[in-house]
Amino acid sequence: MAEELEVKELDQVVVRFSGDSGDGMQLAGNIFSTVSATVGNSISTFPDYPADIRAPQGSLTGVSGFQVHIGASQVYTPGDECDVLVAMNAAALKTQYRYAKANATIIIDTDSFGESDLKKAAFETQDYLGEMGIDPDRVIQCPITTIVKEALADTGMDNKAMLKCRNMFALGLVCWLFSRDLDLVANFLRDKFAKKPAIAEANIKVIQAGYDYGHNTHSSATNVYRVESKEKTPGRYMDITGNKATAYGFIAAAEKAGLKLYLGSYPITPATDVLHELSKHKSLGVTTVQCEDEIAGCASSVGAAFAGALAVTSTSGPGICLKSEAMNLAVIMELPLVVLDVQRGGPATGLPTKSEQTDLLQVLFGRNGESPMPVLAATSPTDCFDAAYQASKIALEHMTPVCLLTDAYVANGSGAFKLPDLAKMDAINPPYVPENMKGEWTPYMRAENGTRYWAVPGRQGFEHILGGLEKDDKTGAISTNPENHDLMTRKRQAKIDNIQVPDLEVAGDADDAELLIVGFGGTYGHLHAAMDEMRAAGKKVALAHFKFINPLPKNTAEVLKKYPKVVVAEQNMGQLAGWLRMKVDGFVPAQYNEVKGQPFKVNELVAAFNKIIG
């Protein structure tokens, strides 16, 4: 009988699941993160999967990973390196070991380390651990495939179906390592496979087998840990991905505004999940159309906006290129449209499953003519909800297309999301044309804030025509008058400039920082973690992170010019830095730029920022 192990308390831990793209690593990681969020842990996740539709089994290019960082208090990133690495085959160990700490616990399926497996993974010897310099005492070497088949022998499942449960054994073993309640896991699976209860029970059986294996065969190489939440805010929580949070944000905005929600879209990685999620909610007044191409997706949404809906179109960078003409039509027609851009690696097809921030200048300027458009960037998976809500509010209240930037990292990542109270959220009040203007109203008459009144088709006495040709400010008729075009151009710009957005907040040593870190969008967690680490080492550091990019917060210049040294860190070659230099006279920051398709590494940020401080 195995001796009892001491349960050690940890503040945080990072686990990385890895295996073939068909091994279910994303599901195993999602379940572990969901269970962790359920017990009150802060979580940050990073799915890292290949672009191959189905790479050859056991190949180096086909490895799929899922990293989750759980903490007793707030965690901001998925972690630079993992404390536990699950490697379901030789290729996973070969490619993913670089993400493990020097003292990490490694779990492998020895059944997937045969001679042919090692050859596919480019190992030169049978001693794969020695070849990689891995201490065997840190490795839980388990014949996972064999045990899974034994556990399911009496279920009548075929061999292929049994092998699909291997990920659940690894999950059960990890649950043992971190003292997770298997009842929570079982409830998740019974809910997920409600229509296939036999599959749910088979997976639950395998998870129990993995848990029992850890409990019964543990050695001095492993420890059992517990990460207890230190800060618990009452409320209902769920583990939510950025894409799902974005979809919910759009639904909430439509509900608050009393409008139907329309999504015109075309499938594209990594934005497609928003289309999938919204298509499930017809009962909430959501209409989704999977169009024949990106152009049609955006054009149909322009039509829906004209018809009186909260109109959305979703895509990634290559789709923005195609949608730009229809986006520009919404600019000149002054219609409420939200364009969701889930950024990925470019140019062209680029890196479809990897993350960048390289579309910023495209959404700011990538249209012909003077074509101003508000731009927001979500800062985290859970912030995607608020960002989608705020983008919708701006579009509806200011009669303008709005671009919402997320990226593959925040869209596919997840966090613990406290369900909001819709009644307490900001009101959304579209500028409908007043009834007393009947007979006098023309399409480009404006409210006091410069916003064009919205006359939804069907209102008697407010019939009108809009289009892509310039219109007369007073009559709404087509006009080529140069003074009128200059006037309309300035009014469209002023309308955007006058949008009220929250002031830029400064975290950390706001009063006396020797270095201000500046970023936008999904790098927030990594930059915040870097700031925290530097402050813990005695440095005076602050962080100003942009969510609202056009228009910029009114106090932007004041903040950026306050500190002796400023660095703008972004996952591109300097697009935000260039935009800020345009908008803030005399602003010349240092820059930290990466275009690797991967999230920042906090330790690399800290090293770079310390050099700037000097």
Side-chain angles (χ1 to χ4, degrees), residues 111-440:
D111 291 329
S112 297
F113 281 75
E115 185 175 348
S116 63
D117 302 307
L118 296 174
K119 186 175 181 180
K120 288 179 185 177
F123 281 101
E124 297 180 359
T125 68
Q126 297 292 308
D127 181 18
Y128 48 88
L129 296 179
E131 192 173 321
M132 295 189 69
I134 300 174
D135 181 357
D137 287 340
R138 295 193 291 108
V139 183
I140 300 177
Q141 302 184 58
C142 174
I144 293 177
T145 300
T146 298
I147 297 176
V148 168
K149 288 181 177 180
E150 291 174 354
L152 299 176
D154 60 352
T155 63
M157 298 172 67
D158 59 35
N159 187 66
K160 185 177 181 181
M162 289 182 184
L163 293 179
K164 288 183 177 180
C165 297
R166 293 166 62 242
N167 60 332
M168 294 296 104
F169 186 95
L171 175 61
L173 192 48
V174 171
C175 286
W176 168 73
L177 275 175
F178 297 102
S179 307
R180 289 300 184 226
D181 185 349
L182 292 193
D183 287 340
L184 295 174
V185 182
N187 291 338
F188 179 96
L189 287 168
R190 290 188 177 112
D191 182 61
K192 180 175 179 61
F193 296 106
K195 296 182 179 179
K196 299 178 180 179
I199 292 179
E201 296 308 317
N203 279 291
I204 292 169
K205 189 173 185 180
V206 171
I207 288 172
Q208 186 67 56
Y211 189 97
D212 292 343
Y213 181 88
H215 180 74
N216 295 328
T217 65
H218 62 68
S219 68
S220 59
T222 59
N223 293 295
V224 180
Y225 304 102
R226 180 180 292 116
V227 183
E228 289 288 353
S229 179
K230 295 178 180 177
E231 303 171 4
K232 294 184 179 181
T233 303
R236 295 182 63 196
Y237 287 82
M238 65 182 295
D239 174 30
I240 196 169
T241 65
N243 273 336
K244 180 175 284 191
T246 301
Y248 287 179
F250 289 139
I251 293 172
E255 179 72 19
K256 194 74 170 181
L259 298 174
K260 299 290 187 181
L261 174 61
Y262 175 89
L263 175 74
S265 187
Y266 182 77
I268 183 172
T269 302
T272 308
D273 284 342
V274 176
L275 171 62
H276 290 167
E277 184 61 37
L278 287 177
S279 67
K280 301 174 183 176
H281 298 290
K282 296 181 178 64
S283 63
L284 298 177
V286 179
T287 298
T288 56
V289 177
Q290 180 176 318
C291 298
E292 63 268 31
D293 54 37
E294 295 281 6
I295 299 170
C298 192
S300 70
S301 295
V302 171
F306 178 76
L310 169 55
V312 180
T313 187
S314 57
T315 189
S316 190
I320 294 291
C321 299
L322 292 164
K323 293 180 188 292
S324 60
E325 184 177 7
M327 291 164 63
N328 225 7
L329 180 61
V331 170
I332 199 168
M333 293 170 70
E334 299 189 48
L335 287 172
L337 169 71
V338 181
V339 180
L340 171 64
D341 178 3
V342 186
Q343 299 168 96
R344 71 187 206 185
T349 309
L351 304 173
T353 63
K354 307 304 178 184
S355 188
E356 288 181 2
Q357 294 183 301
T358 44
D359 295 349
L360 178 59
L361 293 184
Q362 180 179 210
V363 298
L364 285 169
F365 298 112
R367 298 167 297 281
N368 67 294
E370 293 291 341
S371 184
M373 184 180 294
V375 175
L376 286 75
T379 60
S380 70
T382 54
D383 182 60
C384 286
F385 176 88
D386 182 70
Y389 189 90
Q390 293 299 327
S392 302
K393 177 178 170 67
I394 290 173
L396 289 168
E397 293 190 340
H398 296 274
M399 294 297 288
T400 178
V402 175
C403 187
L404 171 58
L405 293 173
T406 66
D407 57 59
Y409 164 66
V410 297
N412 292 322
S414 64
F417 177 58
K418 183 181 178 183
L419 300 185
D421 183 348
L422 187 62
K424 296 180 180 179
M425 298 181 69
D426 293 342
I428 299 179
N429 300 305
Y432 296 116
V433 58
E435 191 66 23
N436 61 13
M437 293 182 69
K438 183 184 294 186
E440 300 177 2

Side-chain angles (χ1 to χ4, degrees), residues 41-61:
N41 290 144
S42 173
I43 65 169
S44 178
T45 70
F46 175 51
D48 188 14
Y49 51 92
D52 308 53
I53 293 175
R54 190 69 171 91
Q57 188 173 11
S59 65
L60 294 171
T61 60

